[in-house]
Amino acid sequence: MSNLNQTPMSNRIHISLFGKTNVGKSSVINALTDQNVSLVSNVKGTTTDPVYKSMELMELGPVVFIDTAGLDDDTELGQLREEKTIDVLNKTDIAIIIVDSVSGISNFDVEIISKIKEKTIPIVGILNKIDLKPVSDEELLNFERKLGLKLIRVSAITHLGILDVKNSLIKSVPNDEDKFKIVGDLISPGDFVILVTPIDKAAPKGRLILPQQQVIRDVLESDAIAIVTKEFELRETLQNLNKKPSLVITDSQAFLKVAADTPKDIPLTSFSILLARYKGDLNELVHGAAAIKNLKDGDKILIAEACTHHRQSDDIGKVKIPRWLRQNTGKDLQFEFSSGFTFPENIKDYALIVHCAGCMLNRRAMLHRISSAVNANVPIVNYGVLIAYVQGILQRTLAPFPAARLELEEDLDI
């Protein structure tokens, strides 16, 4: 199956497995999927860094299993592994805790359960290796009391209890599918929605970029009609329609051209602004845009991207956004950059964080980044919201989102 036909990792339910070394995390993944997708070995510490396995799991659909390193390693390398494993919690939708009947409970098991509960992540508990050491009802109750967690007796080798684990995972899935539509709650069946999609030089040849694909799918699932055009054909497209579209959605980099060609009585927004709401907290990102007016000479700005891609000569993150911010503020600003799944810990050093749309992150991971910035009292904004702000059209692009527009007007005393 080609990548074009696969569900993106960011849209999959993230199921992370935690436990000390050699409790059978990889074996449990293999049993749940009926495939040998994870390396299994009796050698302690076979899994080092978190390993991501995208799978289709019956009843749950597309998921990604995150097989983490065992954390009963006191070496310096073990500490680094522990930090990476703890970081996995920030993107976990469902946590599986695995202890085994042979080696018992460790302090780590208790600590990680406490951290998971603090983050209100659903937990499925497994007592593995009962084929090697059977456990009575009384012994099971003692395990559960020590952990403060219900456990399912499992043998990853014989598959005993695996069906119960699957059923528990199904019951643990967050039921928020309708709440977090990208655009479906803004339109009605039969509506025309125009999608302005410039051919992005950074996109893989022959494909639309991921946010565009996702919005088209959401429009179609809402029984509306998606009309796709480029920015230079928008005016002609509007003239040839026999009814007014309910919404125009554009790539942020074509904002000014599209805003000029779209009548004022037609709502206008961008893919990135839709993703800001879908993946994170649009109101907080709008608040971050309003903070741009407070930047001073010498302030450090973090440009954060969740993916890594080949940089173009006029790259949006590396070149365009720094240029627009300097032009808008007239200040001598300093810029630093991060990319990929890691997020800097020293965010208090920055006067502003500018984040990409986050299409490669799941919602929990994006919300964690936003909340980290808020807790550090650092404004955060995403690409689309920032571009609309510096080009003077943010109010117009927030028309479909009254609460966010009110946030902006209050921050700017409009």
Side-chain angles (χ1 to χ4, degrees):
M1 182 183 294
S2 69
N3 288 335
L4 185 59
N5 295 321
Q6 290 180 343
T7 302
M9 185 181 291
S10 58
N11 283 10
R12 294 172 178 265
I13 299 168
H14 284 48
I15 304 174
S16 302
L17 292 87
F18 301 94
K20 60 187 180 183
T21 53
N22 222 27
V23 295
K25 295 186 291 295
S26 300
S27 297
V28 168
I29 291 179
N30 291 343
L32 285 169
T33 60
D34 290 319
Q35 299 181 49
N36 291 323
V37 296
S38 284
L39 176 65
V40 176
S41 170
N42 289 326
V43 177
K44 187 173 181 179
T46 300
T47 303
T48 54
D49 291 343
V51 177
Y52 294 75
K53 300 288 183 180
S54 294
M55 300 294 300
E56 297 286 328
L57 192 60
M58 288 299 292
E59 302 297 334
L60 281 178
V63 303
V64 55
F65 284 106
I66 308 177
D67 188 3
T68 65
L71 301 184
D72 48 338
D73 183 348
D74 295 330
T75 66
E76 183 176 347
L77 178 59
Q79 291 298 314
L80 294 174
R81 291 174 180 168
E82 179 175 353
E83 290 174 8
K84 290 187 176 182
T85 294
I86 296 300
D87 185 59
V88 164
L89 285 176
N90 298 323
K91 64 191 76 170
T92 298
D93 296 310
I94 305 172
I96 298 179
I97 295 294
I98 304 178
V99 296
D100 71 71
S101 60
V102 177
S103 61
I105 296 171
S106 70
N107 290 334
F108 164 74
D109 298 319
V110 177
E111 291 171 7
I112 194 66
I113 289 172
S114 175
K115 291 181 183 295
I116 292 169
K117 288 181 177 179
E118 285 177 9
K119 294 179 177 289
T120 65
I121 300 171
I123 310 176
V124 174
I126 290 177
L127 181 61
N128 193 25
K129 299 187 181 180
I130 61 169
D131 53 308
L132 298 178
K133 184 178 180 182
V135 172
S136 67
D137 290 346
E138 184 177 350
E139 289 171 321
L140 177 65
L141 187 59
N142 285 334
F143 273 105
E144 292 176 337
R145 284 172 177 164
K146 291 178 181 178
L147 293 174
L149 181 69
K150 287 288 184 182
L151 296 172
I152 301 170
R153 294 185 182 94
V154 166
S155 167
I157 304 302
T158 68
H159 286 207
L160 181 66
I162 290 298
L163 181 58
D164 292 330
V165 174
K166 288 183 178 180
N167 289 334
S168 292
L169 290 173
I170 292 168
K171 292 176 182 177
S172 300
V173 174
N175 188 23
D176 55 12
E177 181 178 349
D178 291 333
K179 183 178 179 182
F180 297 115
K181 287 184 176 180
I182 303 176
V183 69
D185 60 322
L186 304 176
I187 57 179
S188 301
D191 280 355
F192 284 5
V193 181
I194 296 183
L195 311 177
V196 184
T197 58
I199 302 304
D200 192 329
K201 291 187 295 183
K205 189 172 180 61
R207 281 189 256 164
L208 298 175
I209 60 175
L210 184 56
Q212 295 167 356
Q213 296 178 42
Q214 291 174 317
V215 171
I216 291 172
R217 175 63 183 265
D218 202 31
V219 170
L220 297 178
E221 286 188 347
S222 302
D223 298 323
I225 300 163
I227 301 168
V228 183
T229 186
K230 291 189 295 183
E231 68 271 38
F232 297 106
E233 287 73 41
L234 173 61
R235 188 187 295 271
E236 182 181 357
T237 301
L238 288 166
Q239 291 171 348
N240 288 331
L241 290 179
N242 59 9
K243 75 172 185 178
K244 186 171 67 176
S246 62
L247 185 63
V248 172
I249 304 168
T250 181
D251 184 283
S252 299
Q253 296 187 68
F255 254 145
L256 289 181
K257 170 68 174 163
V258 173
D261 289 347
T262 302
K264 291 289 196 295
D265 61 340
I266 299 176
L268 167 67
T269 194
S270 75
F271 295 102
S272 186
I273 289 175
L274 288 172
L275 262 290
R277 183 183 72 136
Y278 178 65
K279 286 292 181 73
D281 185 335
L282 178 58
N283 288 9
E284 193 60 51
L285 297 175
V286 167
H287 178 69
I292 291 172
K293 67 182 187 299
N294 300 322
L295 293 175
K296 305 182 297 294
D297 286 330
D299 277 347
K300 286 203 302 184
I301 315 295
L302 174 67
I303 308 291
E305 293 185 337
C307 63
T308 55
H309 61 268
H310 176 67
R311 300 285 184 183
Q312 303 295 321
S313 58
D314 203 21
D315 185 78
I316 183 171
K318 204 81 172 181
V319 179
K320 288 183 177 179
I321 286 177
R323 181 173 69 232
W324 288 330
L325 279 173
R326 289 184 177 119
Q327 289 172 347
N328 181 269
T329 62
K331 304 299 182 183
D332 180 18
L333 305 173
Q334 308 302 313
F335 292 89
E336 296 183 0
F337 304 88
S338 71
S339 61
F341 289 144
T342 58
F343 195 55
E345 295 182 2
N346 61 325
I347 57 176
K348 289 185 178 180
D349 296 345
Y350 301 102
L352 178 71
I353 297 172
V354 183
H355 206 289
C356 69
C359 58
M360 300 305 294
L361 299 175
N362 67 347
R363 177 172 167 79
R364 185 177 285 272
M366 191 66 210
L367 284 173
H368 169 71
R369 293 189 175 194
I370 293 172
S371 65
S372 296
V374 172
N375 292 338
N377 200 30
V378 177
I380 182 169
V381 62
N382 88 333
Y383 283 12
V385 175
L386 179 141
I387 294 170
Y389 174 84
V390 297
Q391 295 183 350
I393 58 172
L394 183 53
Q395 270 186 286
R396 181 179 180 186
T397 61
L398 292 177
F401 317 106
R405 183 169 177 169
L406 180 61
E407 177 83 26
L408 176 70
E409 292 171 350
E410 289 178 349
D411 283 345
L412 297 179
D413 295 323
I414 297 174

